[in-house]
Amino acid sequence: MLKECWKKVQETCPLVHNITNYVTVNDVANVLLAAGGSPIMSDEPEDVEDITSICGGLNINIGTLNERTIEGMFRAGRKANELGHPVLLDPVGTGASKLRTETADRLVRELHFTVIRGNISEIKTIAYGSGTTKGVDADVADAVTEESLPAAVDFARGLAKRLDTVIAITGAIDIVADADTAYVIRNGRPEMGRITGTGCQLSGLVTAYVTANPEQPLEAAATAVTLMGVAGETGWERMQEGDGNSTYRNRIIDAIYNMDGETLEQRAKIERM
Amino acid sequence: MLKECWKKVQETCPLVHNITNYVTVNDVANVLLAAGGSPIMSDEPEDVEDITSICGGLNINIGTLNERTIEGMFRAGRKANELGHPVLLDPVGTGASKLRTETADRLVRELHFTVIRGNISEIKTIAYGSGTTKGVDADVADAVTEESLPAAVDFARGLAKRLDTVIAITGAIDIVADADTAYVIRNGRPEMGRITGTGCQLSGLVTAYVTANPEQPLEAAATAVTLMGVAGETGWERMQEGDGNSTYRNRIIDAIYNMDGETLEQRAKIERM
Amino acid sequence: MLKECWKKVQETCPLVHNITNYVTVNDVANVLLAAGGSPIMSDEPEDVEDITSICGGLNINIGTLNERTIEGMFRAGRKANELGHPVLLDPVGTGASKLRTETADRLVRELHFTVIRGNISEIKTIAYGSGTTKGVDADVADAVTEESLPAAVDFARGLAKRLDTVIAITGAIDIVADADTAYVIRNGRPEMGRITGTGCQLSGLVTAYVTANPEQPLEAAATAVTLMGVAGETGWERMQEGDGNSTYRNRIIDAIYNMDGETLEQRAKIERM
């Protein structure tokens, strides 16, 4: 599954329309290029329908939303739904403000998402309407641990069923689930949390993977999550004394650029549940 | 003082709300993470009050201001003042345009700032209402030299007294002053001026430091300025043949990530006046 | 010619006003600093006229245009034309959406540009009003090859004459032409296409070069294009096993920072036609 999904991205070079925050947008573009996809960014309501029409998939990230870009998200999302393109939601910071919470809620109600990817606090806010998001990071109390994992997997499956989507909860342990099946992924490193935007980058990757593998969005999303985790590990192995989070950011994107399907399969710590 | 202020940031992981320009925002986020803080960006008027409420401090940078974000700056600033959160102003390019000069003036009149940090031309514009800012860099004629230092220190103290704030003037020689006391810092390297956004990064750092050390904003600000200068030096020591400003940017952020209180104290060239 | 144009940039440190997209803006700023210029970014209609007035040249890039920044482009462009400043247009994605195509058309009709730089699909859209742009990348069918080169050079010269400008078409083979003369440049590497924003960076560079060499915009633009290509090569020579597109981005900017006129001349593969 991992090798096949990875290969499809290399073969098809999925063109991904991103409406994303201005903090991490450059890294999202470079990670998409590293992965074998092609990025285009556009958030102006008058521009987004044309742009999404020439793309294969749409990545909506509410990180630095404003009134204009919110309108852009809805117009792009409706057009992508109409065209049958995969659409991903990254509800950055939902639960941290009324505007973010309400925007994420409305997006989930009015559009159909192929995947919703966030940290556990954000996904809980999607499920229950309010949350304990600490800024843009997950609340420690929410964290998925080996103890809370079975309950978290059930939660993800239930929400996936209710919203007819794939739910990807990422953190120290990642869960990717649809109504029936869940993948649990234990790749990655804690130091990835000291880089801004690894979550945003992953959302870009997942969008490219579901775009290139439209028949199996669950497997495609799980592969992208595994890829990011493995790249976090192989990128870390190239770190030298004195390197820190800024160099680590480059190393991870470089690792995705140099990944091959065999390495991905060999290093994957992925479990089907 | 340096070690204590540094340690407080590590222990408390200050959450900093940044309304900052889209040029250097990614580096600001990564430098905050490197320093042990946590960044969140939000500039939409309808979003900023909620976001600033969950944060510990607010960093306002007028670098690529527009009508919408100016409104966001005032709404966030008033809320942060109301909550007693430290607020920093980085008046990027004030003096270079009417809109920037007027916006910085209004911000200073209507809000209370814990720290105002800029280059000498920007701070002169804050003091006198118009300036000789050359784009976003200080005018050479304004530069703080060993000869002009005593007068510049008096100027900084006077302005700090008038505005009830800490004034940080950064350049080849840095001055951090309140009404009574000034610190003069001689760390850093001239090559830092060939990287975009070292000033913006420093403003993020200073905000994190005053947020984690609310009882001593002067000392906290002086520590952050020293930290940036020392990181500029230790980062430079890791440069290899062929490296240039892009790699140097990574090296400085990496150096902040790997800094410890002892190194900071040993390498500091800081003088109390 | 190359050495002279390069030297002029070092001597005059051209201050460039950039209205550019938020995806690659940080790299544009760092590449301008690397080259010996100085960047300032401003896109707010109320701010741009003042900012462009204190600068030497203006770089307009429509990459993530919106209604507000489009207004900023026109106000800045008219002011720069009035002041006789060089103005460059980078019509990112024209042909990919109605808004981009119409905006680029209106810009070309209402303003005078010193240089228009884009990939072949974008420049064809400028010429013929509609195109086959694949997102922000050139369509493969359009690509300039050794076979299609003579026709592409004629096309560039014809368009340059009609619009009284310098046309720079960049790709595997670069063409820089005015009505009479064309330069063909064969530097660079295909891997540059796997980095986001090498085109945007080049547009910043070209603006700095025509600003510093106002009497010879054709030669200045050709020098900047050659510089980017040579930096792509010398940057690549410093790549190590495991490095990918993120590190390559840093290496190219570093290479521009460390370039000297002699190296540029020795490595240039430039031909006058």
Side-chain angles (χ1 to χ4, degrees), chain B residues 114-146:
Chain B
T114 313
V115 186
I116 302 174
R117 192 217 65 82
N119 64 44
I120 179 71
S121 298
E122 290 161 348
I123 301 297
K124 281 193 173 174
T125 303
I126 294 287
Y128 306 128
S130 72
T132 54
T133 310
K134 186 214 166 203
V136 292
D137 295 316
D139 194 285
V140 175
D142 285 337
V144 178
T145 61
E146 294 296 346

Side-chain angles (χ1 to χ4, degrees), chain C residues 103-123:
Chain C
T103 301
D105 273 7
R106 254 189 74 209
L107 285 165
V108 168
R109 278 201 316 273
E110 298 185 21
L111 300 174
H112 176 256
F113 289 99
T114 314
V115 186
I116 302 175
R117 191 216 66 83
N119 64 43
I120 179 70
S121 298
E122 290 159 350
I123 301 296

Side-chain angles (χ1 to χ4, degrees), chain B residues 9-26:
Chain B
V9 174
Q10 315 309 308
E11 287 168 0
T12 60
C13 188
L15 184 54
V16 176
H17 175 194
N18 301 274
I19 302 180
T20 189
N21 66 78
Y22 60 82
V23 186
T24 65
V25 58
N26 183 268

Side-chain angles (χ1 to χ4, degrees), chain B residues 22-23 97-98 241 246-247, chain C residues 26 43 47 50 238 250 254:
Chain B
Y22 60 82
V23 186
S97 76
K98 193 159 170 269
E241 195 174 328
S246 192
T247 292
Chain C
N26 184 267
D43 60 22
D47 197 48
D50 284 355
R238 298 191 60 237
N250 295 317
D254 287 355

Side-chain angles (χ1 to χ4, degrees), chain A residues 39-89:
Chain A
I40 182 162
M41 278 64 179
S42 164
D43 58 23
E44 165 62 28
E46 294 299 321
D47 196 48
V48 293
E49 291 168 302
D50 283 355
I51 295 296
T52 224
S53 298
I54 60 164
C55 289
L58 172 63
N59 172 26
I60 295 178
N61 174 307
I62 68 167
T64 49
L65 79 186
N66 63 52
E67 285 190 27
R68 184 180 56 73
T69 60
I70 292 170
E71 173 65 12
M73 293 172 196
F74 280 95
R75 287 178 66 168
R78 280 190 288 261
K79 174 59 84 174
N81 274 179
E82 205 178 297
L83 296 168
H85 293 181
V87 187
L88 178 141
L89 174 64

Side-chain angles (χ1 to χ4, degrees), chain C residues 24 28 61 90 92 117 170 192 195-204 228:
Chain C
T24 65
V28 171
N61 175 308
D90 186 336
V92 179
R117 191 216 66 83
T170 59
M192 297 171 83
I195 304 170
T196 191
T198 45
C200 305
Q201 291 177 40
L202 177 51
S203 289
M228 191 78 197

Side-chain angles (χ1 to χ4, degrees), chain A:
Chain A
M1 157 187 137
L2 298 169
K3 218 192 312 195
E4 290 68 34
C5 287
W6 175 85
K7 208 176 158 202
K8 267 295 183 71
V9 174
Q10 315 310 308
E11 287 168 359
T12 60
C13 187
L15 183 55
V16 177
H17 175 195
N18 300 275
I19 301 181
T20 188
N21 68 76
Y22 60 82
V23 185
T24 64
V25 59
N26 183 268
D27 293 330
V28 171
N30 271 328
V31 89
L32 280 166
L33 286 161
S38 185
I40 182 162
M41 278 64 179
S42 164
D43 58 23
E44 165 62 28
E46 294 299 321
D47 196 48
V48 293
E49 291 168 302
D50 283 355
I51 295 296
T52 224
S53 298
I54 60 164
C55 289
L58 172 63
N59 172 26
I60 295 178
N61 174 307
I62 68 167
T64 49
L65 79 186
N66 63 52
E67 285 190 27
R68 184 180 56 73
T69 60
I70 292 170
E71 173 65 12
M73 293 172 196
F74 280 95
R75 287 178 66 168
R78 280 190 288 261
K79 174 59 84 174
N81 274 179
E82 205 178 297
L83 296 168
H85 293 181
V87 187
L88 178 141
L89 174 64
D90 186 337
V92 179
T94 187
S97 76
K98 192 159 170 272
L99 181 66
R100 288 171 193 242
T101 308
E102 287 181 356
T103 300
D105 274 7
R106 256 189 73 207
L107 285 164
V108 168
R109 278 201 316 274
E110 298 185 21
L111 300 174
H112 176 256
F113 289 99
T114 313
V115 186
I116 302 175
R117 192 216 66 83
N119 65 44
I120 179 71
S121 298
E122 290 160 349
I123 301 297
K124 281 193 173 175
T125 304
I126 293 287
Y128 306 127
S130 72
T132 54
T133 310
K134 186 214 165 203
V136 290
D137 294 317
D139 195 285
V140 174
D142 286 336
V144 178
T145 61
E146 295 296 347
E147 288 70 42
S148 66
L149 181 60
V153 168
D154 281 351
F155 160 73
R157 269 198 287 241
L159 184 61
K161 185 171 183 181
R162 173 151 72 90
L163 300 178
D164 182 25
T165 191
V166 171
I167 294 290
I169 300 172
T170 58
I173 304 172
D174 306 312
I175 300 165
V176 183
D178 66 10
D180 304 310
T181 309
Y183 289 95
V184 173
I185 298 145
R186 289 184 177 81
N187 290 99
R189 289 190 62 91
E191 293 85 355
M192 295 171 84
R194 295 285 294 275
I195 303 170
T196 192
T198 46
C200 305
Q201 290 176 41
L202 177 51
S203 289
L205 280 183
V206 172
T207 311
Y209 270 73
V210 295
T211 301
N213 296 278
E215 277 86 41
Q216 38 179 359
L218 174 69
E219 289 72 20
T223 302
V225 171
T226 308
L227 170 61
M228 190 78 198
V230 171
E233 296 170 14
T234 57
W236 185 261
E237 289 162 14
R238 297 191 64 237
M239 294 283 280
Q240 289 167 15
E241 194 174 328
D243 285 349
N245 62 334
S246 192
T247 291
Y248 190 26
R249 177 256 310 266
N250 295 317
R251 293 273 179 254
I252 294 173
I253 299 176
D254 286 355
I256 289 169
Y257 183 94
N258 286 303
M259 189 69 64
D260 57 83
E262 280 71 26
T263 306
L264 181 60
E265 291 228 321
Q266 280 162 16
R267 301 198 56 142
K269 295 178 192 149
I270 184 169
E271 187 187 352
R272 195 168 186 277
M273 291 179 84

